[in-house]
Amino acid sequence: GGKDAINTTIINFNNEKMQITWATRDLFPNENVSFFYTFDEGKHKVWKSCTTYLLDQDYNSGCLFKTEGPTLAISIRNSNGSEELFSKKLKADFYIKPSPPENVTFFWKEDTVTISCNKPERAARCLRLELQYKSKFDKEWQSRTSRCCSVGEQGFDPRKCYSFRVRLRRVVPYCNVVQYNSDWEAETFWMNGTLLDSCDDDVTPQSKTVIVLSCSLAVLLIMLILLILLCKCQRVQISVLPAIPDPKYPFADLFNDHNGNLQEWLDKNDHVVLQTKLEYEEPESITEAESQQEDGKNSDKQGPLEKILSFSGAAENNDCKAAETACLIPASNTTASFAGFHILMNDDMYVMI
């Protein structure tokens, strides 16, 4: 029983090549064994030595050779082949690993898809066609199995992209003693009956338009918010730090032509001051001025019109010196009229002349 107790792995690749492997480091430590095989039956067997060894750290751990019949006998011997260490007889057809399905086609009809492939020349009854599929929203594969070589499934959403893959399975235990499946055929991607390069390409033009519009609206909204914040900041700045008016610009000729000499500027611009005052005075002031002028005509002719410089809160009969004092030290919250301009004065304001 010792010779049959060794575990080996046997694979018959599509009934074309055989691969026999064993755990050489556990079974035959520090010994490089030799392998022999034969497909002959009966007493007169012709043993063939392995020509293609599989190695494990420079030790023979398997053999690869051509499949030549349904019945196989193997023998593992010592390095020179004089002593047999293990032997076994088996059915090669019970260890077949099928090849991937060939010429796979997809047929779509509404929400139903049918997948088919070429039927193998031998032992098609021992094979099953397995289909696996999933959408980009699924984490696990969905599986369906049918007789070789066609399988169908329904219930596919035309709005989703699906990944498909198929393989052949060997029936156990009627045809195989080991469950061997073929490798998966190349994965394909489908959406509503249309073959795609990948499920990343299933973005429709409509969805692209929605994305562009959404981004545009987001940008406009951000710009509107920034504009509102900017306006609020300016209003707060004006409220907290109000701008101090500069008298330089309304009276540019006073500073540029007369170097700030108020008396000289008033002498030169006496008619301008009078005209401006008459244009901007209230109707009551205009009426009062006309009355005064009529009284002046009846009396003796007076000298030239004195310079007009009136300030709110100061008496009309005050002399020029009192007016100058009021100009330099204005009362709190008073309105000063100067050359036709009305200026609101408070404790925090100053006028430089």
Side-chain angles (χ1 to χ4, degrees), residues 118-137:
N118 288 349
K119 189 175 182 178
E121 297 179 357
R122 297 178 54 186
R125 61 180 181 82
C126 290
L127 296 174
R128 298 290 183 268
L129 182 62
E130 181 181 5
L131 164 68
Q132 286 191 349
Y133 63 91
K134 68 176 180 178
S135 71
K136 61 186 301 182
F137 305 102

mmCIF file with all atom_site columns, all heavy atoms in Angstrom, residues 118-137:
data_model
loop_
_atom_site.group_PDB
_atom_site.id
_atom_site.type_symbol
_atom_site.label_atom_id
_atom_site.label_alt_id
_atom_site.label_comp_id
_atom_site.label_asym_id
_atom_site.label_entity_id
_atom_site.label_seq_id
_atom_site.pdbx_PDB_ins_code
_atom_site.Cartn_x
_atom_site.Cartn_y
_atom_site.Cartn_z
_atom_site.occupancy
_atom_site.B_iso_or_equiv
_atom_site.pdbx_formal_charge
_atom_site.auth_seq_id
_atom_site.auth_comp_id
_atom_site.auth_asym_id
_atom_site.auth_atom_id
_atom_site.pdbx_PDB_model_num
ATOM 1   N N   . ASN A 1 118 ? -18.856 27.079 -30.276 1.00 0.00 ? 118 ASN A N   1
ATOM 2   C CA  . ASN A 1 118 ? -18.691 25.884 -31.101 1.00 0.00 ? 118 ASN A CA  1
ATOM 3   C C   . ASN A 1 118 ? -18.762 24.629 -30.239 1.00 0.00 ? 118 ASN A C   1
ATOM 4   O O   . ASN A 1 118 ? -18.231 24.586 -29.125 1.00 0.00 ? 118 ASN A O   1
ATOM 5   C CB  . ASN A 1 118 ? -17.352 25.921 -31.838 1.00 0.00 ? 118 ASN A CB  1
ATOM 6   C CG  . ASN A 1 118 ? -17.343 26.948 -32.958 1.00 0.00 ? 118 ASN A CG  1
ATOM 7   O OD1 . ASN A 1 118 ? -18.395 27.484 -33.320 1.00 0.00 ? 118 ASN A OD1 1
ATOM 8   N ND2 . ASN A 1 118 ? -16.173 27.227 -33.499 1.00 0.00 ? 118 ASN A ND2 1
ATOM 9   N N   . LYS A 1 119 ? -19.381 23.616 -30.775 1.00 0.00 ? 119 LYS A N   1
ATOM 10  C CA  . LYS A 1 119 ? -19.506 22.349 -30.062 1.00 0.00 ? 119 LYS A CA  1
ATOM 11  C C   . LYS A 1 119 ? -18.239 21.517 -30.245 1.00 0.00 ? 119 LYS A C   1
ATOM 12  O O   . LYS A 1 119 ? -17.783 21.307 -31.371 1.00 0.00 ? 119 LYS A O   1
ATOM 13  C CB  . LYS A 1 119 ? -20.709 21.575 -30.590 1.00 0.00 ? 119 LYS A CB  1
ATOM 14  C CG  . LYS A 1 119 ? -21.066 20.349 -29.782 1.00 0.00 ? 119 LYS A CG  1
ATOM 15  C CD  . LYS A 1 119 ? -22.338 19.720 -30.300 1.00 0.00 ? 119 LYS A CD  1
ATOM 16  C CE  . LYS A 1 119 ? -22.745 18.513 -29.459 1.00 0.00 ? 119 LYS A CE  1
ATOM 17  N NZ  . LYS A 1 119 ? -24.012 17.918 -29.938 1.00 0.00 ? 119 LYS A NZ  1
ATOM 18  N N   . PRO A 1 120 ? -17.635 21.043 -29.161 1.00 0.00 ? 120 PRO A N   1
ATOM 19  C CA  . PRO A 1 120 ? -16.419 20.221 -29.297 1.00 0.00 ? 120 PRO A CA  1
ATOM 20  C C   . PRO A 1 120 ? -16.685 18.933 -30.068 1.00 0.00 ? 120 PRO A C   1
ATOM 21  O O   . PRO A 1 120 ? -17.802 18.413 -30.076 1.00 0.00 ? 120 PRO A O   1
ATOM 22  C CB  . PRO A 1 120 ? -16.032 19.929 -27.838 1.00 0.00 ? 120 PRO A CB  1
ATOM 23  C CG  . PRO A 1 120 ? -16.691 21.000 -27.040 1.00 0.00 ? 120 PRO A CG  1
ATOM 24  C CD  . PRO A 1 120 ? -17.957 21.313 -27.753 1.00 0.00 ? 120 PRO A CD  1
ATOM 25  N N   . GLU A 1 121 ? -15.658 18.449 -30.701 1.00 0.00 ? 121 GLU A N   1
ATOM 26  C CA  . GLU A 1 121 ? -15.804 17.237 -31.513 1.00 0.00 ? 121 GLU A CA  1
ATOM 27  C C   . GLU A 1 121 ? -15.999 15.998 -30.650 1.00 0.00 ? 121 GLU A C   1
ATOM 28  O O   . GLU A 1 121 ? -16.676 15.054 -31.051 1.00 0.00 ? 121 GLU A O   1
ATOM 29  C CB  . GLU A 1 121 ? -14.575 17.055 -32.408 1.00 0.00 ? 121 GLU A CB  1
ATOM 30  C CG  . GLU A 1 121 ? -14.393 18.185 -33.419 1.00 0.00 ? 121 GLU A CG  1
ATOM 31  C CD  . GLU A 1 121 ? -13.161 17.978 -34.273 1.00 0.00 ? 121 GLU A CD  1
ATOM 32  O OE1 . GLU A 1 121 ? -12.426 16.981 -34.021 1.00 0.00 ? 121 GLU A OE1 1
ATOM 33  O OE2 . GLU A 1 121 ? -12.919 18.788 -35.181 1.00 0.00 ? 121 GLU A OE2 1
ATOM 34  N N   . ARG A 1 122 ? -15.436 15.996 -29.447 1.00 0.00 ? 122 ARG A N   1
ATOM 35  C CA  . ARG A 1 122 ? -15.518 14.806 -28.599 1.00 0.00 ? 122 ARG A CA  1
ATOM 36  C C   . ARG A 1 122 ? -16.163 15.150 -27.260 1.00 0.00 ? 122 ARG A C   1
ATOM 37  O O   . ARG A 1 122 ? -15.924 16.214 -26.686 1.00 0.00 ? 122 ARG A O   1
ATOM 38  C CB  . ARG A 1 122 ? -14.117 14.226 -28.346 1.00 0.00 ? 122 ARG A CB  1
ATOM 39  C CG  . ARG A 1 122 ? -13.389 13.740 -29.600 1.00 0.00 ? 122 ARG A CG  1
ATOM 40  C CD  . ARG A 1 122 ? -12.016 13.233 -29.250 1.00 0.00 ? 122 ARG A CD  1
ATOM 41  N NE  . ARG A 1 122 ? -12.073 12.199 -28.202 1.00 0.00 ? 122 ARG A NE  1
ATOM 42  C CZ  . ARG A 1 122 ? -10.989 11.678 -27.627 1.00 0.00 ? 122 ARG A CZ  1
ATOM 43  N NH1 . ARG A 1 122 ? -9.785  12.106 -27.955 1.00 0.00 ? 122 ARG A NH1 1
ATOM 44  N NH2 . ARG A 1 122 ? -11.123 10.747 -26.693 1.00 0.00 ? 122 ARG A NH2 1
ATOM 45  N N   . ALA A 1 123 ? -16.982 14.218 -26.779 1.00 0.00 ? 123 ALA A N   1
ATOM 46  C CA  . ALA A 1 123 ? -17.535 14.258 -25.421 1.00 0.00 ? 123 ALA A CA  1
ATOM 47  C C   . ALA A 1 123 ? -18.240 15.567 -25.092 1.00 0.00 ? 123 ALA A C   1
ATOM 48  O O   . ALA A 1 123 ? -18.087 16.123 -24.002 1.00 0.00 ? 123 ALA A O   1
ATOM 49  C CB  . ALA A 1 123 ? -16.435 13.972 -24.407 1.00 0.00 ? 123 ALA A CB  1
ATOM 50  N N   . ALA A 1 124 ? -19.051 16.050 -26.029 1.00 0.00 ? 124 ALA A N   1
ATOM 51  C CA  . ALA A 1 124 ? -19.797 17.282 -25.759 1.00 0.00 ? 124 ALA A CA  1
ATOM 52  C C   . ALA A 1 124 ? -20.837 17.062 -24.655 1.00 0.00 ? 124 ALA A C   1
ATOM 53  O O   . ALA A 1 124 ? -21.186 18.002 -23.937 1.00 0.00 ? 124 ALA A O   1
ATOM 54  C CB  . ALA A 1 124 ? -20.476 17.768 -27.026 1.00 0.00 ? 124 ALA A CB  1
ATOM 55  N N   . ARG A 1 125 ? -21.302 15.822 -24.499 1.00 0.00 ? 125 ARG A N   1
ATOM 56  C CA  . ARG A 1 125 ? -22.292 15.528 -23.463 1.00 0.00 ? 125 ARG A CA  1
ATOM 57  C C   . ARG A 1 125 ? -21.715 15.699 -22.056 1.00 0.00 ? 125 ARG A C   1
ATOM 58  O O   . ARG A 1 125 ? -22.460 15.838 -21.083 1.00 0.00 ? 125 ARG A O   1
ATOM 59  C CB  . ARG A 1 125 ? -22.802 14.103 -23.632 1.00 0.00 ? 125 ARG A CB  1
ATOM 60  C CG  . ARG A 1 125 ? -21.717 13.050 -23.510 1.00 0.00 ? 125 ARG A CG  1
ATOM 61  C CD  . ARG A 1 125 ? -22.247 11.641 -23.686 1.00 0.00 ? 125 ARG A CD  1
ATOM 62  N NE  . ARG A 1 125 ? -21.197 10.646 -23.554 1.00 0.00 ? 125 ARG A NE  1
ATOM 63  C CZ  . ARG A 1 125 ? -20.738 10.184 -22.399 1.00 0.00 ? 125 ARG A CZ  1
ATOM 64  N NH1 . ARG A 1 125 ? -21.244 10.664 -21.260 1.00 0.00 ? 125 ARG A NH1 1
ATOM 65  N NH2 . ARG A 1 125 ? -19.780 9.277  -22.368 1.00 0.00 ? 125 ARG A NH2 1
ATOM 66  N N   . CYS A 1 126 ? -20.406 15.641 -21.920 1.00 0.00 ? 126 CYS A N   1
ATOM 67  C CA  . CYS A 1 126 ? -19.771 15.794 -20.615 1.00 0.00 ? 126 CYS A CA  1
ATOM 68  C C   . CYS A 1 126 ? -19.464 17.252 -20.259 1.00 0.00 ? 126 CYS A C   1
ATOM 69  O O   . CYS A 1 126 ? -18.904 17.511 -19.190 1.00 0.00 ? 126 CYS A O   1
ATOM 70  C CB  . CYS A 1 126 ? -18.461 14.996 -20.586 1.00 0.00 ? 126 CYS A CB  1
ATOM 71  S SG  . CYS A 1 126 ? -18.688 13.205 -20.580 1.00 0.00 ? 126 CYS A SG  1
ATOM 72  N N   . LEU A 1 127 ? -19.850 18.164 -21.137 1.00 0.00 ? 127 LEU A N   1
ATOM 73  C CA  . LEU A 1 127 ? -19.506 19.568 -20.926 1.00 0.00 ? 127 LEU A CA  1
ATOM 74  C C   . LEU A 1 127 ? -20.750 20.394 -20.638 1.00 0.00 ? 127 LEU A C   1
ATOM 75  O O   . LEU A 1 127 ? -21.841 20.110 -21.139 1.00 0.00 ? 127 LEU A O   1
ATOM 76  C CB  . LEU A 1 127 ? -18.782 20.137 -22.153 1.00 0.00 ? 127 LEU A CB  1
ATOM 77  C CG  . LEU A 1 127 ? -17.434 19.513 -22.493 1.00 0.00 ? 127 LEU A CG  1
ATOM 78  C CD1 . LEU A 1 127 ? -16.902 20.080 -23.803 1.00 0.00 ? 127 LEU A CD1 1
ATOM 79  C CD2 . LEU A 1 127 ? -16.428 19.745 -21.368 1.00 0.00 ? 127 LEU A CD2 1
ATOM 80  N N   . ARG A 1 128 ? -20.566 21.443 -19.830 1.00 0.00 ? 128 ARG A N   1
ATOM 81  C CA  . ARG A 1 128 ? -21.594 22.424 -19.557 1.00 0.00 ? 128 ARG A CA  1
ATOM 82  C C   . ARG A 1 128 ? -21.013 23.811 -19.840 1.00 0.00 ? 128 ARG A C   1
ATOM 83  O O   . ARG A 1 128 ? -19.858 24.089 -19.528 1.00 0.00 ? 128 ARG A O   1
ATOM 84  C CB  . ARG A 1 128 ? -22.072 22.351 -18.100 1.00 0.00 ? 128 ARG A CB  1
ATOM 85  C CG  . ARG A 1 128 ? -22.709 21.014 -17.745 1.00 0.00 ? 128 ARG A CG  1
ATOM 86  C CD  . ARG A 1 128 ? -24.046 20.856 -18.434 1.00 0.00 ? 128 ARG A CD  1
ATOM 87  N NE  . ARG A 1 128 ? -24.709 19.605 -18.064 1.00 0.00 ? 128 ARG A NE  1
ATOM 88  C CZ  . ARG A 1 128 ? -24.586 18.462 -18.731 1.00 0.00 ? 128 ARG A CZ  1
ATOM 89  N NH1 . ARG A 1 128 ? -23.807 18.400 -19.807 1.00 0.00 ? 128 ARG A NH1 1
ATOM 90  N NH2 . ARG A 1 128 ? -25.234 17.393 -18.323 1.00 0.00 ? 128 ARG A NH2 1
ATOM 91  N N   . LEU A 1 129 ? -21.861 24.662 -20.436 1.00 0.00 ? 129 LEU A N   1
ATOM 92  C CA  . LEU A 1 129 ? -21.451 26.037 -20.716 1.00 0.00 ? 129 LEU A CA  1
ATOM 93  C C   . LEU A 1 129 ? -21.917 26.928 -19.569 1.00 0.00 ? 129 LEU A C   1
ATOM 94  O O   . LEU A 1 129 ? -23.109 27.015 -19.287 1.00 0.00 ? 129 LEU A O   1
ATOM 95  C CB  . LEU A 1 129 ? -22.043 26.520 -22.042 1.00 0.00 ? 129 LEU A CB  1
ATOM 96  C CG  . LEU A 1 129 ? -21.650 27.933 -22.486 1.00 0.00 ? 129 LEU A CG  1
ATOM 97  C CD1 . LEU A 1 129 ? -20.140 28.025 -22.710 1.00 0.00 ? 129 LEU A CD1 1
ATOM 98  C CD2 . LEU A 1 129 ? -22.403 28.333 -23.758 1.00 0.00 ? 129 LEU A CD2 1
ATOM 99  N N   . GLU A 1 130 ? -20.968 27.564 -18.918 1.00 0.00 ? 130 GLU A N   1
ATOM 100 C CA  . GLU A 1 130 ? -21.274 28.430 -17.772 1.00 0.00 ? 130 GLU A CA  1
ATOM 101 C C   . GLU A 1 130 ? -21.153 29.893 -18.185 1.00 0.00 ? 130 GLU A C   1
ATOM 102 O O   . GLU A 1 130 ? -20.141 30.305 -18.767 1.00 0.00 ? 130 GLU A O   1
ATOM 103 C CB  . GLU A 1 130 ? -20.341 28.147 -16.603 1.00 0.00 ? 130 GLU A CB  1
ATOM 104 C CG  . GLU A 1 130 ? -20.641 29.001 -15.372 1.00 0.00 ? 130 GLU A CG  1
ATOM 105 C CD  . GLU A 1 130 ? -19.690 28.729 -14.221 1.00 0.00 ? 130 GLU A CD  1
ATOM 106 O OE1 . GLU A 1 130 ? -18.737 27.952 -14.404 1.00 0.00 ? 130 GLU A OE1 1
ATOM 107 O OE2 . GLU A 1 130 ? -19.888 29.319 -13.141 1.00 0.00 ? 130 GLU A OE2 1
ATOM 108 N N   . LEU A 1 131 ? -22.176 30.668 -17.863 1.00 0.00 ? 131 LEU A N   1
ATOM 109 C CA  . LEU A 1 131 ? -22.200 32.102 -18.142 1.00 0.00 ? 131 LEU A CA  1
ATOM 110 C C   . LEU A 1 131 ? -22.173 32.867 -16.827 1.00 0.00 ? 131 LEU A C   1
ATOM 111 O O   . LEU A 1 131 ? -22.915 32.540 -15.899 1.00 0.00 ? 131 LEU A O   1
ATOM 112 C CB  . LEU A 1 131 ? -23.464 32.476 -18.930 1.00 0.00 ? 131 LEU A CB  1
ATOM 113 C CG  . LEU A 1 131 ? -23.829 33.965 -18.972 1.00 0.00 ? 131 LEU A CG  1
ATOM 114 C CD1 . LEU A 1 131 ? -22.807 34.748 -19.788 1.00 0.00 ? 131 LEU A CD1 1
ATOM 115 C CD2 . LEU A 1 131 ? -25.232 34.157 -19.528 1.00 0.00 ? 131 LEU A CD2 1
ATOM 116 N N   . GLN A 1 132 ? -21.346 33.891 -16.761 1.00 0.00 ? 132 GLN A N   1
ATOM 117 C CA  . GLN A 1 132 ? -21.335 34.806 -15.628 1.00 0.00 ? 132 GLN A CA  1
ATOM 118 C C   . GLN A 1 132 ? -21.427 36.238 -16.152 1.00 0.00 ? 132 GLN A C   1
ATOM 119 O O   . GLN A 1 132 ? -20.812 36.582 -17.166 1.00 0.00 ? 132 GLN A O   1
ATOM 120 C CB  . GLN A 1 132 ? -20.068 34.637 -14.781 1.00 0.00 ? 132 GLN A CB  1
ATOM 121 C CG  . GLN A 1 132 ? -20.072 33.383 -13.936 1.00 0.00 ? 132 GLN A CG  1
ATOM 122 C CD  . GLN A 1 132 ? -18.954 33.370 -12.909 1.00 0.00 ? 132 GLN A CD  1
ATOM 123 O OE1 . GLN A 1 132 ? -18.040 34.191 -12.945 1.00 0.00 ? 132 GLN A OE1 1
ATOM 124 N NE2 . GLN A 1 132 ? -19.011 32.439 -11.971 1.00 0.00 ? 132 GLN A NE2 1
ATOM 125 N N   . TYR A 1 133 ? -22.205 37.056 -15.459 1.00 0.00 ? 133 TYR A N   1
ATOM 126 C CA  . TYR A 1 133 ? -22.405 38.437 -15.881 1.00 0.00 ? 133 TYR A CA  1
ATOM 127 C C   . TYR A 1 133 ? -22.643 39.303 -14.648 1.00 0.00 ? 133 TYR A C   1
ATOM 128 O O   . TYR A 1 133 ? -23.075 38.827 -13.601 1.00 0.00 ? 133 TYR A O   1
ATOM 129 C CB  . TYR A 1 133 ? -23.597 38.549 -16.843 1.00 0.00 ? 133 TYR A CB  1
ATOM 130 C CG  . TYR A 1 133 ? -24.919 38.173 -16.239 1.00 0.00 ? 133 TYR A CG  1
ATOM 131 C CD1 . TYR A 1 133 ? -25.744 39.127 -15.618 1.00 0.00 ? 133 TYR A CD1 1
ATOM 132 C CD2 . TYR A 1 133 ? -25.361 36.852 -16.254 1.00 0.00 ? 133 TYR A CD2 1
ATOM 133 C CE1 . TYR A 1 133 ? -26.950 38.767 -15.048 1.00 0.00 ? 133 TYR A CE1 1
ATOM 134 C CE2 . TYR A 1 133 ? -26.569 36.484 -15.691 1.00 0.00 ? 133 TYR A CE2 1
ATOM 135 C CZ  . TYR A 1 133 ? -27.364 37.453 -15.086 1.00 0.00 ? 133 TYR A CZ  1
ATOM 136 O OH  . TYR A 1 133 ? -28.554 37.085 -14.515 1.00 0.00 ? 133 TYR A OH  1
ATOM 137 N N   . LYS A 1 134 ? -22.393 40.579 -14.813 1.00 0.00 ? 134 LYS A N   1
ATOM 138 C CA  . LYS A 1 134 ? -22.680 41.562 -13.774 1.00 0.00 ? 134 LYS A CA  1
ATOM 139 C C   . LYS A 1 134 ? -22.666 42.944 -14.402 1.00 0.00 ? 134 LYS A C   1
ATOM 140 O O   . LYS A 1 134 ? -21.969 43.184 -15.408 1.00 0.00 ? 134 LYS A O   1
ATOM 141 C CB  . LYS A 1 134 ? -21.677 41.499 -12.621 1.00 0.00 ? 134 LYS A CB  1
ATOM 142 C CG  . LYS A 1 134 ? -20.267 41.937 -12.979 1.00 0.00 ? 134 LYS A CG  1
ATOM 143 C CD  . LYS A 1 134 ? -19.360 41.928 -11.754 1.00 0.00 ? 134 LYS A CD  1
ATOM 144 C CE  . LYS A 1 134 ? -17.944 42.370 -12.119 1.00 0.00 ? 134 LYS A CE  1
ATOM 145 N NZ  . LYS A 1 134 ? -17.048 42.404 -10.923 1.00 0.00 ? 134 LYS A NZ  1
ATOM 146 N N   . SER A 1 135 ? -23.446 43.853 -13.819 1.00 0.00 ? 135 SER A N   1
ATOM 147 C CA  . SER A 1 135 ? -23.435 45.238 -14.261 1.00 0.00 ? 135 SER A CA  1
ATOM 148 C C   . SER A 1 135 ? -22.410 46.011 -13.443 1.00 0.00 ? 135 SER A C   1
ATOM 149 O O   . SER A 1 135 ? -21.845 45.491 -12.470 1.00 0.00 ? 135 SER A O   1
ATOM 150 C CB  . SER A 1 135 ? -24.831 45.866 -14.106 1.00 0.00 ? 135 SER A CB  1
ATOM 151 O OG  . SER A 1 135 ? -25.128 46.052 -12.729 1.00 0.00 ? 135 SER A OG  1
ATOM 152 N N   . LYS A 1 136 ? -22.196 47.260 -13.813 1.00 0.00 ? 136 LYS A N   1
ATOM 153 C CA  . LYS A 1 136 ? -21.214 48.071 -13.089 1.00 0.00 ? 136 LYS A CA  1
ATOM 154 C C   . LYS A 1 136 ? -21.691 48.417 -11.691 1.00 0.00 ? 136 LYS A C   1
ATOM 155 O O   . LYS A 1 136 ? -20.917 48.907 -10.872 1.00 0.00 ? 136 LYS A O   1
ATOM 156 C CB  . LYS A 1 136 ? -20.914 49.346 -13.879 1.00 0.00 ? 136 LYS A CB  1
ATOM 157 C CG  . LYS A 1 136 ? -22.120 50.220 -14.101 1.00 0.00 ? 136 LYS A CG  1
ATOM 158 C CD  . LYS A 1 136 ? -21.805 51.401 -15.023 1.00 0.00 ? 136 LYS A CD  1
ATOM 159 C CE  . LYS A 1 136 ? -20.713 52.259 -14.475 1.00 0.00 ? 136 LYS A CE  1
ATOM 160 N NZ  . LYS A 1 136 ? -20.438 53.427 -15.335 1.00 0.00 ? 136 LYS A NZ  1
ATOM 161 N N   . PHE A 1 137 ? -22.972 48.145 -11.397 1.00 0.00 ? 137 PHE A N   1
ATOM 162 C CA  . PHE A 1 137 ? -23.508 48.413 -10.075 1.00 0.00 ? 137 PHE A CA  1
ATOM 163 C C   . PHE A 1 137 ? -23.518 47.168 -9.189  1.00 0.00 ? 137 PHE A C   1
ATOM 164 O O   . PHE A 1 137 ? -23.911 47.238 -8.030  1.00 0.00 ? 137 PHE A O   1
ATOM 165 C CB  . PHE A 1 137 ? -24.941 48.962 -10.187 1.00 0.00 ? 137 PHE A CB  1
ATOM 166 C CG  . PHE A 1 137 ? -25.047 50.178 -11.060 1.00 0.00 ? 137 PHE A CG  1
ATOM 167 C CD1 . PHE A 1 137 ? -25.527 50.085 -12.355 1.00 0.00 ? 137 PHE A CD1 1
ATOM 168 C CD2 . PHE A 1 137 ? -24.641 51.417 -10.590 1.00 0.00 ? 137 PHE A CD2 1
ATOM 169 C CE1 . PHE A 1 137 ? -25.623 51.205 -13.159 1.00 0.00 ? 137 PHE A CE1 1
ATOM 170 C CE2 . PHE A 1 137 ? -24.724 52.543 -11.392 1.00 0.00 ? 137 PHE A CE2 1
ATOM 171 C CZ  . PHE A 1 137 ? -25.215 52.429 -12.687 1.00 0.00 ? 137 PHE A CZ  1
#
